[in-house]
Amino acid sequence: MSGQSLLVPGELSPVRSVPGNIRRPEYVGKPAPTPYTGPEVQTPETIELMRTAGRIAARAMEEAAKHIAPGVTTDELDRVAHEYMCDHGAYPSTLGYRGFPKSLCSSINEVICHGIPDSTVLKDGDIINLDVTAYIGGVHGDNNATYLVGDVDEESKLLVERTRESLDRAIKAVKPGRQINIIGRVIESYAKRFGYGVVRDFTGHGINTSFHSGLIVPHYDSPHATTTIQPGMTFTIEPMLTLGTHEYDMWDDGWTVVTKDRKRTAQFEHTLVVTDTGAEILTLP
């Protein structure tokens, strides 16, 4: 694998503004969101709104990804996604969520998740995850994907391809009547074939009018994840696989999570709604 130096925090740009006519989530300006007390099964009306939010999130991520190249800063990718969401009437869900200062998460190489866009410059051979969530119509749509920067080594390419495959397999395993731990069982069994670590402490989650509803979707085979999958449930699946340990450290910013051994990690995510026969992806561009 590439012998590139480890990441260090860059400089943050000023907080980006959102037009006043765009509806804010209730948590903006507060230290934490109000706990969600509603159902995990959503109405057809809410699901339709989530299709819109999911589509905008997917397109914003796609637009930002077009700019991924050596020499580009993660702050520039944040700007592109921010402007796309605002131009389409959506609020960037991460902006102001528990104090997060930016409109997407940008996680490079050894960063598992929640990297903060800043002056960090992408280098040839990096891999980068973009995590974009849009809020519109009172609901959220959340997705992420890992991208290659320039000429990437084979070990990292395979990690990215197989992490995407683990998400695809997990989505196919979603069926009404199954317990939610089927998702983690499928991901973990696939990842073990290649000796990858499966991150345990950061999970998929219920999503609807709430960014994180309280429903937890582990990516390993957890005996505690016994919730029965039902039609109309909406949640994310977002496996994080590593080339080494699943253990992590957190930077002093309170957000950036890195692998303890500083080996590379990849992640992919979709927001789903459970149908009568399986799952529909709501975050398709």
Side-chain angles (χ1 to χ4, degrees), residues 196-274:
Y196 295 154
V198 180
V199 173
R200 302 166 77 90
D201 293 313
F202 300 90
T203 67
H205 53 89
I207 184 170
N208 39 66
T209 58
S210 173
F211 194 171
H212 299 89
S213 72
L215 175 69
I216 294 173
V217 183
H219 302 119
Y220 65 99
D221 187 6
S222 168
H224 306 295
T226 57
T227 301
T228 299
I229 297 170
Q230 302 175 60
M233 289 176 73
T234 49
F235 53 81
T236 72
I237 304 176
E238 45 189 299
M240 292 151 262
L241 305 187
T242 71
L243 289 176
T245 182
H246 68 268
E247 296 180 344
Y248 67 92
D249 293 320
M250 187 175 286
W251 282 4
D252 291 342
D253 61 23
W255 284 104
T256 307
V257 179
V258 295
T259 53
K260 189 169 278 291
D261 57 12
R262 303 304 190 265
K263 291 186 177 179
R264 288 186 168 187
T265 174
Q267 182 184 17
F268 285 84
E269 173 186 24
H270 276 305
T271 296
L272 311 171
V273 59
V274 181

Side-chain angles (χ1 to χ4, degrees), residues 84-122:
Y84 185 93
M85 285 185 272
C86 291
D87 288 347
H88 290 81
Y91 185 92
S93 299
T94 60
L95 185 61
Y97 179 78
R98 297 184 182 270
F100 192 85
K102 292 295 174 183
S103 298
L104 58 71
C105 300
S106 55
S107 301
I108 302 171
N109 296 343
E110 70 267 23
V111 179
I112 294 170
C113 57
H114 304 159
I116 301 174
D118 58 18
S119 61
T120 299
V121 175
L122 295 177

